[in-house]
Amino acid sequence: MRRKLISMALCGVMLMSTLAGCGKSEKETTTETKETQASGEPVTISYACWDSNQATLIKKIADEFTQKNPNIKIDIQVNGWDDYWTGLEAAATGGSLPDTFWMHSNNIYYYGSNDQLLDLTNYISSSKEVDLSNYPQGLDDIYKVNEKQYAIPKDYDTIALWYNKTLFDEAGIAYPNDTWTWKDLKEAAKKLTKKDKSQYGFCAGLHNQEGYYNMVYQNGGTIITDDRKSGYDQEKTIQGIEEYFSFVKEGLSPEIYDDQARAEAIQNGLCAMGFFGSWNLSGFAESDFMKKNFDCAVIPMSNDGGKATIFNGLGNAISAKTKHPDEAWKWVEYLSSKEGQERQAELGIAISAYNGTADKFADAYKMFNTKCYIDMVSYAKIRPYSNQTSVWEDKAYELLKNAYAGKEDTAAACKKVADMMNKAISEE
């Protein structure tokens, strides 16, 4: 979520010119909505997201929704992760947010506390389709600000270990399973790493959710304490980060700082293993190379048996300034209903958040051991967040870079992160 001024300006112009939000008063909005309903003219509701693979599949749900609600058409709009947030911020400033859009734990407080999102509390209480008790409480709580619900959980995700079966077979190594520990992961990585570095055993890219966060929590550490302090300076947190960084320091992983580079390192055969979130499945399933060579397993536990995978989920939100709040709610209500959530899972869009629908997602990707993502929920840890997560999260990467590359002591780098993070949280 690095802020890019040029990107912000371009995305702001694009979003403000194409998305359906506007800066009209509540009275004007209500009047226009009633007039539209009375005339029976079709209403177009914009729906913004950042994953093109999901967007293609969501289009099927949108078409099915429109068949049942012919006066409501859904316009799906996609921007990549960085451009999505810079564009959303620019659109919010200009009063032109999309009608409906994805929300993330990193940013919910910013938008919810600044009157940018429609309060869904009353809509939910009067709905026959949406009951928040049908979703994991941890996900519900993410999208609640000052006791008001500003988004409904769309899905959830966990992190798994992906491995190249072909390279394992060639090396005579048994595939990863639920008994693997950090020691097993390290030993396999050593055997799969070639001396000329044409092949590495593991892809330990500099990433938190798909990287060192998992080992921190497996080791009993934390990123944010219960009293809202940084956990980066705790011994167990430092140990977990050092364990992850050790793959780079020992030459078992290349230095990788970019999400796309991590995926390419797996798909071009450079790395034999890596941590990847469940949101990658739709893309991996389209790759003949991945389907032929790869499978996934639960993340290895710490050497003393500590288990954890990072658990997070997106939410569907509605702009507070949408011209069509009732139609926007009808769309979000459908996405949040048992029917809509089951359809999302069946299509393989994401692991649906609605209790009891997750197995349908696993069935959508039978070419992989997809159920491992669901099996880890019982010991998953909610992705750490504060009111302004993005303020300190990106800065943490910058402060950890030298330690990751073996140019600085990990404990010293983590102390710098803790100081920075505590200052940022105190100013929230």
Side-chain angles (χ1 to χ4, degrees), residues 129-384:
E129 301 294 334
V130 179
D131 182 343
L132 293 182
S133 66
N134 288 319
Y135 304 90
Q137 184 176 348
L139 298 186
D140 288 338
D141 291 345
I142 287 175
Y143 297 109
K144 184 179 293 183
V145 179
N146 298 326
E147 300 306 313
K148 295 179 180 180
Q149 198 75 29
Y150 285 107
I152 301 175
K154 168 189 174 292
D155 55 39
Y156 72 76
D157 49 66
T158 56
I159 313 300
L161 174 67
W162 283 76
Y163 60 94
N164 189 317
K165 296 182 295 182
T166 302
L167 297 183
F168 269 71
D169 291 341
E170 291 174 354
I173 304 172
Y175 297 157
N177 57 46
D178 59 7
T179 69
W180 264 37
T181 64
W182 290 352
K183 182 179 179 181
D184 296 309
L185 181 65
K186 182 67 69 70
E187 289 303 313
K190 290 178 179 178
K191 293 176 182 178
L192 291 163
T193 299
K194 294 184 177 180
K195 292 182 179 180
D196 63 1
K197 303 305 179 185
S198 61
Q199 177 181 301
Y200 292 87
F202 187 63
C203 178
L206 184 57
H207 201 279
N208 48 43
Q209 185 174 352
E210 291 182 286
Y212 64 85
Y213 275 2
N214 299 276
M215 288 187 166
V216 164
Y217 285 95
Q218 288 171 348
N219 198 49
T222 188
I223 298 300
I224 300 179
T225 64
D226 291 340
D227 58 351
R228 292 175 54 79
K229 302 291 184 183
S230 175
Y232 269 95
D233 53 359
Q234 293 185 0
E235 182 178 0
K236 290 187 176 295
T237 298
I238 296 169
Q239 290 173 348
I241 293 174
E242 177 59 26
E243 178 67 28
Y244 186 76
F245 287 2
S246 71
F247 286 89
V248 172
K249 295 179 180 180
E250 295 176 27
L252 306 177
S253 167
E255 291 180 33
I256 297 181
Y257 301 89
D258 177 76
D259 284 350
Q260 183 176 344
R262 284 191 303 113
E264 290 175 350
I266 289 289
Q267 297 186 41
N268 65 17
L270 178 63
C271 295
M273 296 182 286
F275 291 166
F276 289 92
S278 52
W279 59 87
N280 292 285
L281 271 160
S282 58
F284 286 172
E286 292 183 354
S287 167
D288 290 336
F289 179 80
M290 294 297 292
K291 287 188 290 187
K292 178 181 178 181
N293 295 287
F294 273 81
D295 205 350
C296 52
V298 300
I299 287 187
M301 57 188 150
S302 68
N303 293 331
D304 61 3
K307 295 182 178 182
T309 181
I310 299 302
F311 181 56
N312 195 40
L314 306 184
N316 283 313
I318 301 175
S319 168
K321 296 183 179 180
T322 176
K323 288 165 45 176
H324 309 291
D326 291 340
E327 289 87 350
W329 165 249
K330 198 162 189 177
W331 165 236
V332 168
E333 182 182 41
Y334 178 72
L335 291 175
S336 308
S337 68
K338 184 178 182 181
E339 179 184 350
Q341 288 277 290
E342 284 183 337
R343 195 72 182 107
Q344 175 181 242
E346 290 168 353
L347 290 171
I349 295 171
I351 306 176
S352 292
Y354 197 103
N355 294 333
T357 62
D359 285 346
K360 292 182 181 295
F361 176 78
D363 292 341
Y365 296 108
K366 292 183 177 180
M367 70 285 288
F368 302 123
N369 177 33
T370 310
K371 195 171 182 298
C372 72
Y373 281 103
I374 300 166
D375 292 340
M376 291 184 285
V377 171
S378 62
Y379 52 82
K381 302 293 184 182
I382 286 286
R383 190 182 194 277

Side-chain angles (χ1 to χ4, degrees), residues 238 242 245 249 399-400 402-404 406-416:
I238 296 169
E242 177 59 26
F245 287 2
K249 295 179 180 180
L399 294 174
L400 289 173
N402 285 335
Y404 169 73
K407 300 175 182 178
E408 183 180 5
D409 176 69
T410 299
C414 285
K415 179 62 168 61
K416 293 178 183 177

